[in-house]
Amino acid sequence: HLGNKNIVVMGKLTMVGAQPAAPAWGRLARTAAMGDDTIAVVDPNGELGKAWAIGDRVVVSPTAYFNDEKDELSGEEPFENSQVETRYIEAVVQVSADLVLELKLDAPLRHTHFAGDVESGSREVSLRAGVGMLTRNIVVEGVLPTEDEAEVSTELYYGAHIAVGKVEFAMDGGAPSKYAGHVDLRWVNCHHCGKAFTEHGAVGFQFEAPEILEGALVIPD
């Protein structure tokens, strides 16, 4: 019932990529406006500037509510306008005096991503879009349909899926055998994953049985 583009784990799956040499994410130092192709990231210890490099892929988190309006920059109807944006780094400039890392992106931003201090009651709160490093040397990637295929039906527009499950069965009248999945993924990038528009819609990573989660540990990097 899971369809295709799946890794179904009933035994053990281990994927361990290279650990990033620096924190995998930071925050915008200033607001990045729609149309900007350069962003500034807070880098107080200079760690990002030493590790983030040309060709790396980064994601900029949204700072506005989801909307289904036309794309602000191109005017085209987006498939899903969530305002999450991914870009590749074309140039890295460390501005040490301001403890800020400036990144030149391969394409302008389609949306504005806020960074600043706002008043909340009697105090100020710092609200800043996150900037994450997506480049990993191990990538689980789903193949998306072509534009022509996607126009036929949104049901074709889905990605890969890792399902961790359990199964119990008996062969030739013998004692039942039990199999339960175990997954160890570290520093792995899941790209084009998830099945939101299928009959059995699912996220990119799914545990099929609650008891499998016993002893589970999730550590974001």
Side-chain angles (χ1 to χ4, degrees):
H1 70 284
L2 292 174
N4 59 1
K5 302 183 188 179
N6 289 299
I7 298 176
V8 181
V9 185
M10 298 296 180
K12 184 174 183 179
L13 172 65
T14 300
M15 297 184 188
V16 181
Q19 183 174 358
W25 67 281
R27 297 188 183 278
L28 286 182
R30 59 176 180 265
T31 296
M34 178 186 65
D36 284 354
D37 62 0
T38 300
I39 60 174
V41 185
V42 177
D43 188 16
N45 301 315
E47 295 178 338
L48 302 182
K50 296 176 182 177
W52 291 19
I54 295 172
D56 283 341
R57 184 167 175 262
V58 296
V59 58
V60 185
S61 69
T63 54
Y65 289 108
F66 173 87
N67 69 79
D68 56 1
E69 298 176 355
K70 289 185 178 181
D71 186 279
E72 297 177 22
L73 192 61
S74 68
E76 298 176 351
E77 294 285 353
F79 182 77
E80 182 181 357
N81 187 3
S82 66
Q83 301 193 11
V84 175
E85 304 196 62
T86 59
R87 296 290 185 274
Y88 288 93
I89 298 175
E90 282 196 342
V92 178
V93 181
Q94 179 71 49
V95 185
S96 56
D98 297 329
L99 301 177
V100 168
L101 178 69
E102 291 199 358
L103 304 176
K104 174 73 166 60
L105 307 177
D106 66 325
L109 295 171
R110 294 184 178 274
H111 305 280
T112 295
H113 301 265
F114 178 79
D117 298 329
V118 298
E119 291 187 3
S120 176
S122 59
R123 62 192 180 100
E124 283 193 342
V125 178
S126 179
L127 298 179
R128 300 175 185 276
V131 182
M133 171 58 61
L134 296 179
T135 298
R136 298 289 186 272
N137 66 334
I138 296 180
V139 180
V140 177
E141 183 172 5
V143 177
L144 296 183
T146 64
E147 291 184 6
D148 292 339
E149 291 172 335
E151 288 180 359
V152 173
S153 172
T154 57
E155 293 182 359
L156 297 175
Y157 202 96
Y158 61 89
H161 179 57
I162 299 176
V164 186
K166 71 168 189 174
V167 64
E168 179 178 341
F169 63 91
M171 296 183 64
D172 299 327
S177 299
K178 298 180 181 180
Y179 299 90
H182 175 86
V183 174
D184 183 3
L185 267 63
R186 308 183 204 178
W187 304 295
V188 174
N189 179 14
C190 294
H191 186 47
H192 290 161
C193 292
K195 298 190 172 186
F197 296 95
T198 63
E199 180 181 357
H200 301 282
V203 294
F205 197 99
Q206 181 177 4
F207 293 94
E208 295 290 335
E211 53 267 33
I212 293 178
L213 286 172
E214 293 182 4
L217 180 63
V218 178
I219 304 176
D221 63 357

Coordinates of all heavy atoms in Angstrom, one line a residue, residues 10 45 49 74 77 83 91 99 124 130 132 143-144 176 190 200 207-208 213 218:
M10 N 12.6 -3.2 7.4 CA 12.1 -4.2 8.3 C 13.3 -4.9 9.1 O 13.1 -5.7 10.0 CB 11.3 -5.3 7.6 CG 10.1 -4.8 6.9 SD 8.8 -4.2 8.0 CE 7.5 -3.7 6.9
N45 N 31.3 33.5 15.9 CA 32.6 32.8 16.1 C 33.4 32.6 14.8 O 34.5 32.0 14.9 CB 32.4 31.5 16.9 CG 31.7 31.7 18.2 OD1 32.0 32.6 19.0 ND2 30.7 30.9 18.5
G49 N 31.8 30.8 8.3 CA 32.7 31.3 7.3 C 33.8 30.4 6.9 O 34.3 30.4 5.8
S74 N 7.7 36.3 -9.9 CA 7.4 35.9 -11.3 C 6.0 36.1 -11.7 O 5.7 36.2 -12.9 CB 7.8 34.5 -11.5 OG 6.9 33.6 -10.8
E77 N 1.7 31.0 -11.0 CA 1.0 30.3 -10.0 C 1.9 29.2 -9.5 O 2.3 28.3 -10.2 CB -0.3 29.6 -10.6 CG -1.4 30.6 -11.0 CD -2.1 31.2 -9.8 OE1 -1.8 30.7 -8.6 OE2 -2.9 32.1 -10.0
Q83 N 6.9 29.7 0.8 CA 7.9 30.7 1.1 C 9.2 30.1 1.7 O 10.1 30.8 2.2 CB 7.4 31.8 1.9 CG 6.2 32.5 1.3 CD 5.8 33.8 1.9 OE1 6.5 34.3 2.7 NE2 4.7 34.4 1.5
A91 N 29.2 32.8 -3.8 CA 30.4 33.5 -3.2 C 30.2 33.6 -1.7 O 29.0 33.7 -1.2 CB 30.6 34.8 -3.8
L99 N 30.8 40.6 12.5 CA 30.5 39.2 12.9 C 29.4 38.6 12.0 O 28.5 38.0 12.5 CB 30.2 39.0 14.3 CG 31.4 39.5 15.3 CD1 30.9 39.4 16.7 CD2 32.6 38.7 15.0
E124 N 11.7 43.3 24.2 CA 12.0 43.1 22.8 C 12.4 41.6 22.5 O 13.0 41.0 23.3 CB 13.2 44.0 22.3 CG 12.8 45.4 22.1 CD 13.9 46.2 21.4 OE1 15.0 45.7 21.3 OE2 13.6 47.3 20.9
G130 N 15.7 31.5 9.8 CA 16.8 30.6 9.9 C 17.4 30.3 8.5 O 16.7 30.4 7.5
G132 N 19.8 27.3 6.9 CA 20.3 26.0 7.2 C 21.2 25.5 6.0 O 21.0 25.8 4.8
V143 N 12.8 11.2 -7.3 CA 12.7 11.7 -8.6 C 11.3 12.3 -8.8 O 10.3 11.6 -8.7 CB 13.0 10.6 -9.7 CG1 12.8 11.2 -11.1 CG2 14.4 10.1 -9.5
L144 N 11.3 13.6 -9.1 CA 10.0 14.3 -9.3 C 9.6 14.2 -10.8 O 10.4 14.0 -11.7 CB 10.1 15.8 -8.9 CG 10.4 16.0 -7.5 CD1 10.4 17.5 -7.2 CD2 9.4 15.3 -6.6
P176 N 5.8 -18.2 14.4 CA 5.8 -16.9 13.7 C 7.2 -16.2 13.9 O 7.8 -16.3 15.0 CB 4.7 -16.1 14.3 CG 4.5 -16.8 15.7 CD 4.8 -18.2 15.5
C190 N 17.7 14.4 3.1 CA 16.5 13.9 2.5 C 15.9 15.0 1.6 O 15.4 16.0 2.0 CB 15.5 13.4 3.4 SG 16.0 12.0 4.5
H200 N -2.0 7.4 0.1 CA -1.5 7.2 1.4 C -0.5 8.3 1.7 O 0.7 8.0 1.8 CB -0.9 5.8 1.6 CG -1.8 4.7 1.2 ND1 -2.8 4.2 2.1 CD2 -2.0 4.0 0.1 CE1 -3.5 3.3 1.6 NE2 -3.0 3.1 0.4
F207 N 7.4 6.2 10.8 CA 7.4 5.0 11.6 C 6.0 4.4 11.5 O 5.0 5.0 11.9 CB 7.8 5.3 13.1 CG 9.2 5.7 13.2 CD1 9.5 7.1 13.3 CD2 10.2 4.8 13.3 CE1 10.8 7.5 13.4 CE2 11.5 5.2 13.5 CZ 11.8 6.6 13.5
E208 N 5.9 3.2 11.0 CA 4.6 2.5 10.7 C 4.0 2.0 12.0 O 2.8 1.7 12.0 CB 4.8 1.4 9.7 CG 5.2 1.9 8.3 CD 4.1 2.7 7.6 OE1 3.0 2.5 7.9 OE2 4.5 3.6 6.8
L213 N 9.1 3.2 18.1 CA 9.7 4.4 18.6 C 10.2 4.3 20.0 O 10.9 5.2 20.5 CB 8.6 5.6 18.6 CG 8.2 6.1 17.2 CD1 7.0 7.1 17.4 CD2 9.4 6.9 16.6
V218 N 16.1 11.5 18.4 CA 16.3 12.4 17.3 C 17.1 13.6 17.8 O 16.7 14.3 18.7 CB 14.9 12.8 16.8 CG1 15.1 13.8 15.6 CG2 14.1 11.6 16.3

